[in-house]
Amino acid sequence: MAATIKDVARVSGVHVSTVSRAFSAPHLVNPATRSRVLAAADDLGYRPNRAARALTTGRTFNLGLIVADISNPFFPPLIKAAQAQARGRDHHVFVADTDEDPRVEEELIRTLAKQVDGVLLCSPRLSNKVIERLAEDVPFVVVNRRIGGMPSVLMNVAQGAGLALDHLAGLGHRRIALVCGPAGSWTSNEMQAVATRSQGLDLISIGPNPPTEGGGLAVAAEVAACGATAVLAYNDLLALGLIEGLAAMGIEVPEQISVIGFDDILPGRLNRPKLTTVAMPAAAAGRMAVDLLLQSGGEGTTVTLDTALIVRESTGRART
């Protein structure tokens, strides 16, 4: 006969309710006790009946995770960290990709709302107004967007942009191009807000642009023509595409123009020149977003994670 929850309780020497909590709310169980319960369950071949639990608790023990572009190397570390954190709390994660399309994003949210206990919305392209309306149907945690009253995990873009601009200014750059991302992007808005507060810099905003390598290639001629000696790009993919486009025009990085990206993705470390970038704590954001979504009383909580400037080979002194 298949093992039951009572068998697990008997073998591990705890009450049935403790076994139930070990699977459904592991953060409420002493780690040593939970380990003993899980070991007993494993020995007995016991697996909790998720359908029965859903009927009795009204919960699915599933979470949705929606990203703007799963092919962007920024997102996989966040996804893997969120999945591991959720698994540790006995939840599964359904991952969906919007392909940078707000209409697809809204459709996915409406579909997932019927199947999950909450949604992690990463770098959303929908307006705040639409997200607030959709939040009436399913709990959200938003990653890298501040929406009043809604729990969110922010990576400190303003901190990173400030470090990047200070680095460029220290190298003698005064005319700097901000190559922005999608229209309405929170990250782009944060970059521009920091730039407008910077003293002694002549800043040119270029965009909106697709946050892709192709977007960087497409904007290379405009960057070359604007007279900037340095660029701060919305993300690493844009920066890498821009470097490629400039190289095709015979413009060398960093000898003739310096380039900084955002994210610290692996291709930037492998590129020649290696990309100077603002490292974004994607994995930490994924873990924190899961914790916020599952904790009670997390409404309106905002967690801000530090960013850091990683100086490599794509920045150099301004040409004289």
Side-chain angles (χ1 to χ4, degrees):
M1 292 179 61
T4 68
I5 193 171
K6 292 181 179 179
D7 296 326
V8 177
R10 174 178 50 78
V11 172
S12 56
V14 299
H15 194 273
V16 168
S17 62
T18 303
V19 177
S20 177
R21 282 196 298 274
F23 285 100
S24 62
H27 59 293
L28 299 178
V29 180
N30 179 282
T33 302
R34 182 169 187 259
S35 295
R36 194 164 71 249
V37 170
L38 295 181
D42 190 55
D43 289 342
L44 293 168
Y46 171 77
R47 295 291 180 271
N49 187 321
R50 287 182 169 269
R53 286 168 60 195
L55 287 172
T56 57
T57 64
R59 297 166 58 197
T60 65
F61 296 91
N62 296 322
L63 306 177
L65 196 165
I66 298 177
V67 299
D69 179 7
I70 204 167
S71 68
N72 183 336
F74 168 76
F75 287 110
L78 186 153
I79 293 169
K80 287 183 69 66
Q83 286 179 323
Q85 193 77 355
R87 196 160 47 242
R89 298 183 64 171
D90 199 34
H91 283 68
H92 292 162
V93 176
F94 299 157
V95 179
D97 172 22
T98 71
D99 202 25
E100 299 282 352
D101 188 330
R103 291 171 300 178
V104 173
E105 189 169 80
E106 183 171 359
E107 291 170 5
L108 285 170
I109 292 170
R110 292 189 183 281
T111 300
L112 282 173
K114 305 167 188 175
Q115 307 172 53
V116 300
D117 298 326
V119 172
L120 310 175
L121 196 55
C122 303
S123 300
R125 302 305 181 218
L126 287 168
S127 69
N128 287 4
K129 184 176 180 180
V130 173
I131 292 172
E132 288 168 346
R133 186 176 72 245
L134 292 168
E136 297 173 4
D137 298 326
V138 63
F140 280 130
V141 169
V142 184
V143 178
N144 257 17
R145 172 86 74 86
R146 190 190 301 273
I147 301 176
M150 196 171 294
S152 59
V153 178
L154 306 177
M155 288 168 263
N156 199 334
V157 172
Q159 177 190 38
L163 292 170
L165 292 172
D166 287 348
H167 173 64
L168 292 173
L171 292 171
H173 297 280
R174 294 296 177 265
R175 187 168 175 81
I176 300 171
L178 299 178
V179 177
C180 300
S185 160
W186 178 82
T187 296
S188 287
N189 292 340
E190 289 289 292
M191 287 170 54
Q192 290 178 309
V194 171
T196 58
R197 296 193 296 267
S198 299
Q199 301 293 320
L201 298 179
D202 181 12
L203 297 156
I204 310 104
S205 181
I206 300 175
N209 301 285
T212 61
E213 187 177 357
L217 281 165
V219 80
E222 186 174 355
V223 169
C226 77
T229 62
V231 175
L232 177 58
Y234 167 84
N235 69 3
D236 286 353
L237 289 180
L238 261 174
L240 293 172
L242 173 62
I243 290 172
E244 184 180 349
L246 292 171
M249 300 167 63
I251 299 172
E252 296 181 330
V253 173
E255 289 80 6
Q256 293 172 270
I257 188 168
S258 290
V259 177
I260 299 180
F262 259 86
D263 290 346
D264 191 25
I265 61 175
L266 179 60
R269 301 171 219 165
L270 302 177
N271 193 65
R272 292 295 181 272
K274 295 180 180 180
L275 184 65
T276 295
T277 186
V278 175
M280 301 278 270
R287 289 189 291 270
M288 181 58 67
V290 169
D291 286 344
L292 274 185
L293 193 55
L294 294 182
Q295 77 179 36
S296 58
E299 294 82 1
T301 301
T302 296
V303 177
T304 302
L305 303 175
D306 285 341
T307 54
L309 180 68
I310 310 296
V311 177
R312 297 195 179 103
E313 300 169 352
S314 66
T315 49
R317 296 207 62 81
R319 65 182 187 271
T320 56

